[in-house]
Amino acid sequence: MSIVFLDGDFIQKDEAKISPDDRGFLLADGVYEVTPFYNGVPFSLDRHMARLERSLAWMRINYSLDGLEEIHKQLIRANEFQDAPTSYVYVQITRGAAPRTHYFPQEDVEPTVYAFARTWERPSPERWAQGFSAMTVPDRRWSRADIKTICLLPNVLAFQDAIEAGADDAILVRDGVAIEGAHMNFWGVFDGTVVTHPTTSNILPGITREVVLELADQAGIALEERPIQVEELKDADELFFTGTTGEVRPITTLNGAVVGNGSVGSLTQKLSDLFHGKVQEVRSALEGPIA
Ligand code: PDD
């Protein structure tokens, strides 16, 4: 049985009760974060908390994040994930429970804070080495995709469209630009330069994206942050995604056509190696478990 955190308490998941009046449930009026842990050690927890703070501020949800990092670590301990190679903590903060109105509740309402931990499995090295397929799908999200809100319906529908078409993942396209994936950021390699969309209001500013950009820069890899036109995709040497549960994920088939030479590209491989090296470095630095 898993232990979850709800409004100040660590409880069994089947004891967790959230009001049907909760504005997250009724209106998707809330934000969330997903922070990775490797063998019980958090990766970029401070950056995830900073992004959550921004999401809350934009949504005008009043909630102090004091103590939330410790709650993340406690969830990993309580669920005994200290030895799990890959796990994460999901936290969701909604505007709270109040009679349904399209405007904010008139009375002071406490935000609802719910968090859980779970393990996830990365694809085997053999599976990863084959690369993954992706399909372009229209981006039907609102104009503030940079806020990590729990309103993920357009992402859900895009991902489902891709799966039903036999692809592993979706690439969201808006105004002829390949913006990002349904749950990961999107990258291309063109003539030796690694390219990804700049952090405008149209994309989620991924933490993995930020880390990979820093690592690529330190390694002297040519980088460009600019929109990638859909017409350019057929000329890409490599395509890949980045994200918390995808890490660096190669795309070797796009809309049924082979990408580059059809195998995982050398820069994708290099960035993946650098990313795993960074994870290892963070783990060693924080040696001496959080438990
Ligand atoms: N998804 N783009 C979108 C639309 C996302 O939902 C995510 C994260 C990312 C990658 O961000 P990061 O590197 O910080 O994980 C990009 C999370 C993991 C999710 O919804 O489960």
Side-chain angles (χ1 to χ4, degrees):
M1 180 38 74
S2 74
I3 306 282
V4 301
F5 176 87
L6 179 61
D7 294 335
D9 298 314
F10 290 90
I11 52 176
Q12 297 284 348
K13 187 174 170 181
D14 63 3
E15 287 167 11
K17 289 192 175 57
I18 295 173
S19 165
D21 277 342
D22 195 273
R23 292 178 62 90
F25 177 56
L26 293 177
L27 301 154
D29 188 358
V31 297
Y32 76 108
E33 262 307 323
V34 182
T35 303
F37 281 71
Y38 291 95
N39 290 83
V41 173
F43 184 75
S44 298
L45 181 53
D46 49 346
R47 300 191 202 214
H48 283 275
M49 293 303 98
R51 185 171 65 185
L52 181 57
E53 199 153 38
R54 282 201 306 277
S55 297
L56 287 166
W58 278 321
M59 299 274 282
R60 290 188 277 154
I61 294 177
N62 232 334
Y63 177 73
S64 156
L65 296 189
D66 291 351
L68 196 59
E69 291 200 7
E70 190 47 38
I71 290 166
H72 276 62
K73 294 172 188 172
Q74 257 177 275
L75 274 175
I76 293 290
R77 283 196 291 264
N79 288 285
E80 297 178 1
F81 291 158
Q82 295 96 324
D83 295 324
T86 44
S87 62
Y88 67 69
V89 172
Y90 172 99
V91 60
Q92 165 168 324
I93 303 173
T94 75
R95 203 178 304 280
R100 181 178 182 273
T101 55
H102 283 69
Y103 50 86
F104 294 176
Q106 298 295 83
E107 313 277 306
D108 266 355
V109 170
E110 281 294 307
T112 304
V113 184
Y114 174 62
F116 65 83
R118 62 171 286 197
T119 57
W120 60 277
E121 234 175 275
R122 37 164 93 98
S124 68
E126 296 73 32
R127 176 69 194 87
W128 191 89
Q130 285 167 17
F132 298 82
S133 58
M135 187 179 111
T136 49
V137 178
D139 185 357
R140 305 183 192 97
R141 296 175 300 168
W142 71 328
S143 55
R144 290 304 306 272
D146 54 329
I147 307 177
K148 205 161 171 57
T149 80
I150 59 173
C151 179
L152 291 175
L153 186 57
N155 308 54
V156 167
L157 294 174
F159 206 160
Q160 185 62 25
D161 282 351
I163 286 174
E164 285 176 10
D168 296 317
D169 252 299
I171 296 169
L172 308 179
V173 174
R174 175 182 293 227
D175 300 330
V177 172
I179 307 261
E180 63 176 327
H183 62 126
M184 291 185 273
N185 291 114
F186 175 63
W187 306 62
V189 178
F190 301 89
D191 297 325
T193 299
V194 174
V195 182
T196 196
H197 198 285
T199 49
T200 65
S201 56
N202 282 340
I203 79 161
L204 197 273
I207 305 300
T208 321
R209 174 192 177 281
E210 198 174 291
V211 170
V212 168
L213 274 175
E214 287 168 10
L215 292 170
D217 189 43
Q218 285 156 18
I221 294 169
L223 287 173
E224 220 179 316
E225 288 181 66
R226 64 160 177 85
I228 301 172
Q229 304 296 322
V230 174
E231 303 96 77
E232 292 179 78
L233 294 177
K234 61 180 182 328
D235 303 321
D237 300 318
E238 305 176 28
L239 298 176
F240 62 94
F241 290 117
T242 59
T244 289
T245 49
E247 301 179 315
V248 176
R249 179 157 298 200
I251 304 167
T252 48
T253 310
L254 177 67
N255 296 335
V258 159
V259 175
N261 65 11
S263 53
V264 175
S266 57
L267 279 166
T268 307
Q269 182 70 58
K270 168 129 190 159
L271 291 172
S272 176
D273 293 345
L274 287 170
F275 182 75
H276 288 298
K278 183 72 186 174
V279 166
Q280 202 52 46
E281 186 189 308
V282 169
R283 267 183 57 194
S284 315
L286 292 181
E287 204 75 74
I290 58 168

